Amino acid sequence: MPTVLITGASGHSGRVVTAYFLEQGWTVHAHCHSVEGAEGLRQFLPAGLQQRLSFSVGDLTQPEAVADYVGSAPQPVHALVHLVGGIRAGTPIEETAPEVLEEMFRLNVQTTFLVLRAVLPLLQQTAGAIVTVAARAALHPEKHKAAYAAAKAAVVALTQAAAEEGRPYGVRANVVVPSILRTPANLQWASPGEPEQWLSLEEFAAAIFALCTESGRGISGAVIPMYGKIPA
């Protein structure tokens, strides 16, 4: 069975993506930020799927933690799905502290760089796939999201660079760009009727999976908007 590394696996979207790959017969080596998150992932998954699940816990902003995670993965590795990230928004540029910009780059860009750096040599051996996640704000910048948009734009650039470096080995790398996902956290602030316009987690997972399979073999370097019914 093919093996995929999924980071951010204990989040709401990460749990659904992890379950989707396991349901399709893949082996998943998940990464969770905390022991509590890992336990939450186990509780979310049916017992019958957990036999093909392994995981690591740590801070992916640290090179040592990334090395431990990637080094403990079942071999060979066929795909990477990098879901780790974070958002801080709500202030104009002149009111945004430099520390917020640093945090956005640490969570979104540094983790992406470190994971790509560690996993690319493994994927070169299998002509594997990479999927990262950006945000609509990176393509259509919005007010009060400057630091977040800049960080996610850097994720796009890193992924497209990985696509070019991986091309001679058959490695492809793509970025999915959701607008608003139908997560429990987002549903808490939604107005009546809004969630029907959003992207479901199942649709999100299915698209990521397709990019990691032979069906997505011809796609690399793409930035794929996933806006649901929200206009581009």
Side-chain angles (χ1 to χ4, degrees):
M1 295 297 179
T3 295
V4 58
L5 276 61
I6 301 179
T7 69
S10 57
H12 291 300
S13 58
R15 293 178 182 183
V16 174
V17 173
T18 297
Y20 197 96
F21 273 84
L22 290 169
E23 288 164 356
Q24 308 307 313
W26 283 51
T27 295
V28 174
H29 187 54
H31 187 276
C32 304
H33 186 70
S34 66
V35 173
E36 293 77 14
E39 182 58 30
L41 174 62
R42 284 197 181 279
Q43 293 178 6
F44 177 82
L45 295 170
L49 296 180
Q50 295 185 26
Q51 60 186 352
R52 284 181 281 103
L53 171 71
S54 59
F55 63 87
S56 292
V57 173
D59 180 0
L60 292 184
T61 66
Q62 303 302 313
E64 298 81 6
V66 175
D68 289 345
Y69 169 55
V70 175
S72 63
Q75 302 288 327
V77 173
H78 301 86
L80 164 69
V81 176
H82 182 57
L83 302 176
V84 168
I87 179 171
R88 285 276 299 276
T91 58
I93 293 174
E94 69 271 19
E95 296 177 12
T96 300
E99 292 78 13
V100 172
L101 181 67
E102 293 172 1
E103 180 188 18
M104 289 298 90
F105 269 73
R106 181 174 57 84
L107 292 176
N108 295 288
V109 184
Q110 186 168 326
T111 61
T112 302
F113 170 75
L114 291 175
V115 173
L116 288 176
R117 181 173 178 266
V119 176
L120 269 169
L122 301 181
L123 296 178
Q124 290 170 2
Q125 300 173 25
T126 59
I130 295 165
V131 180
T132 64
V133 180
R136 188 176 183 274
L139 305 184
H140 303 279
E142 306 170 27
K143 64 180 182 179
H144 301 172
K145 291 185 179 180
Y148 177 63
K152 285 299 190 182
V155 170
V156 172
L158 278 171
T159 308
Q160 291 183 316
E164 294 309 309
E165 294 184 13
R167 205 175 296 279
Y169 304 93
V171 176
R172 68 261 193 207
N174 297 289
V175 190
V176 294
V177 186
S179 52
I180 305 176
L181 293 172
R182 207 178 299 156
T183 65
N186 288 336
L187 289 172
Q188 290 181 359
W189 56 262
S191 300
E194 273 191 311
E196 287 73 19
Q197 309 296 313
W198 300 348
L199 189 71
S200 75
L201 294 178
E202 291 73 21
E203 292 169 326
F204 180 64
I208 290 173
F209 179 77
L211 290 169
C212 293
T213 68
E214 288 301 309
S215 298
R217 174 61 61 186
I219 306 171
S220 191
V223 181
I224 303 170
M226 299 187 68
Y227 297 163
K229 295 180 181 179
I230 297 176

